[in-house]
Amino acid sequence: MDKYIVHTLTCPLRTPQEGLESKLTDSLLRLFFTLSLAYHVFVTISRFLFLRCRERERERERERELGGLESSRITGEHTGEQDYGSRSTFAGIHEELGIRPEALCESKRKLVDVLQTSRLDDKPSLPSVFQGPFQVSYGPATSAAGNPEEIQKLFPNLYGQPSVDLVPSTKPTFTEKKLKVGVVLSGGQAPGGHNVIAGIYDYLQEHAKGSILFGFLGGPAGIMKCKYVEITSEFLYPYRNQGGFDIICSGRDKIETPDQFKQAMDTVNKLDLDGLVVIGGDDSNTNACLLAECFRANKLKTHVIGCPKTIDGDLKSKHVPISFGFDTACKIYAEMIGNVMVDARSTGKYYHFVRLMGRAASHITLECALQTHPNIAIIGEEVAAHHQTLRQVVNDITDLVCKRAGQGKHYGVILIPEGLIDFIPEIQHLIAELNEILATSTCDPEGHWKHKLTPPSRALFALLPHSIQEELLLERDPHGNVQVARIETEKMLITMVEAELMQRKHEGTYTNNFIGMSHFFGYEGRCGMPTNFDATYCYALGFAAGALLQSGHSGLIASVGNLTAPCAEWTVGGTALTELMDVERRKGKNKPVIKKAMVELDGAPFRKFASVREKWAVEDSYRSPGPIQFAGPTAHETNCTLQLELGAVAA
Ligand SMILES: *[C@@H]1O[C@H](CO)[C@@H](O)[C@H](O)[C@H]1NC(C)=O
Ligand SMILES: CC(=O)N[C@H]1CO[C@H](CO)[C@@H](O)[C@@H]1O
């Protein structure tokens, strides 16, 4: 094209014929130029529009990540949440991406692993009460975990209802009327969720043939937007005894506003539901109770039953001995910790600092310590009870490093609960001050802003490693607050121990080398194939939920007890959700909450740990339990926390 232009422009002599031709050529050329100009303008504008769209798409993506979508199948990756995000709009995202939620579930799970496949046909045992006809036996009227008058005001239709036990009877007591039931997975994954759904499904098939089970897609958003699938036997099969929540996926939305309650009512009316099972942690079960109250107050026939789910182990009470997923997650972490211990002893030169998931409570760290016998396991609740400072925690670790060095040991394993920072008051003060300061001003590079900190906070800030200082200043959530959970405590402690050892080197009290290795075990444990215990426990919970709905109960959490006995002797029933509740003042309003169960320092598991930890600190009593077993001598162990709490083994 360029050549042609050059040619026409440089042609010196023209005949008239040529003149006409060149005029024609000129106008053709002009037309061509115009067209090409228009084309360029068009391309530029579309490019601009495309880039803007992409930018907006990215923004939306970021919002979504903050919202903590619980589906790795859609985003292709985990979204870094751990209950710190606020909202997700799972169904909305499907619409935006043009994905039908139904299609998501049409792409049936394909199992290619021999072990996974072999687990599919493993039918969990059932408590003996389900072997024959049973009836309901009621306990005394219940109260609340705290502020009973307030709880009564918030739940006038449910408050005080008795807990329920299923007991054998001579003849069937419930009509086998067909039921329509919905189920929803709410919050972070925990191994065994699929078996709860399998339990509900099988219960309905066995005891109310012809019943229908709907699975709401993507968590509570699925209820609000009425996005669901019907769960059939073929659909369910590839998920039996498997980890994950991908059968219907989960989400973190809460049904909170009057509008959202209305949407939920519309959905259960539209589907004509007799029951709704909410599988979730403390917040989700609180939400389940609010729904139960709302449906009853509005005279809907839909009953609501909760199921205790969370790997963190902080949802428990007298009647709910444990939440599902805890057992599997701890065994997965214990395997990895055991491996790291063998590594420590093999190389002889590393200190492994392992941070474990579990949010505020240190149940996971304690259970893993009991299973693996580390040199140190920090228990957040103890740090709080003794008002320990960060400096003291660091000094304790450093002292042990020096002591072991004296024995010629330059390695060790240290377990750190994710919630440690929540328990050190001085860090809480620092964070509160930072939130305050950063809300109104920015940090000048010269550091003048630091003078706004109180002297103790300023001293603490100066003590922190540079990377942690940056995390504190830069990583904020959408509300502008420091993201405490993102702070890599294990790295922080390594750096601080290094600094302290350097100091001691100067003083001549330590002469060796210290190499710290950091680990965070979290997501690795949330979706493992459930242990025999979790698989069986969850299946029983599903049966319990089915039975509670069939017997016409609402506002209860399915509870299966006597868990250290063989499965046949497990007790089955439901506990009033209001009995687990207390009120908390949030934003000037009384909000019902299920109190998180923290590690009790006078409880058997902690006492057991406290009695042996000094030995573990200096001697290497490492225990490497290996991978989860489904058959063989250790396949049916439930472990330490539960055994000790229920008094099955002496502390
Ligand atoms: C719990 O299990 C034990 C066996 O370990 C059994 O003797 C007891 O009767 C069971 N308790 C209940 C309430 O079923
Ligand atoms: C890891 C661990 O401590 N496992 C224990 C689990 O419980 C059984 C008893 O059922 C014990 O024998 C195991 O040692």
Side-chain angles (χ1 to χ4, degrees), residues 562 564-566 569-571:
N562 213 18
T564 47
E569 289 168 54
W570 288 358
T571 56

Side-chain angles (χ1 to χ4, degrees), residues 174-181 200-213 230 232-234 274 546 550:
F174 312 118
T175 56
E176 301 225 334
K177 172 174 153 304
K178 286 182 209 166
L179 298 174
K180 283 190 184 147
V181 175
I200 303 170
Y201 181 82
D202 291 353
Y203 180 89
L204 292 175
Q205 294 316 305
E206 282 172 30
H207 296 266
K209 204 152 186 56
S211 293
I212 297 179
L213 181 62
E230 185 183 335
T232 60
S233 159
E234 302 73 51
D274 299 288
Q550 193 184 30

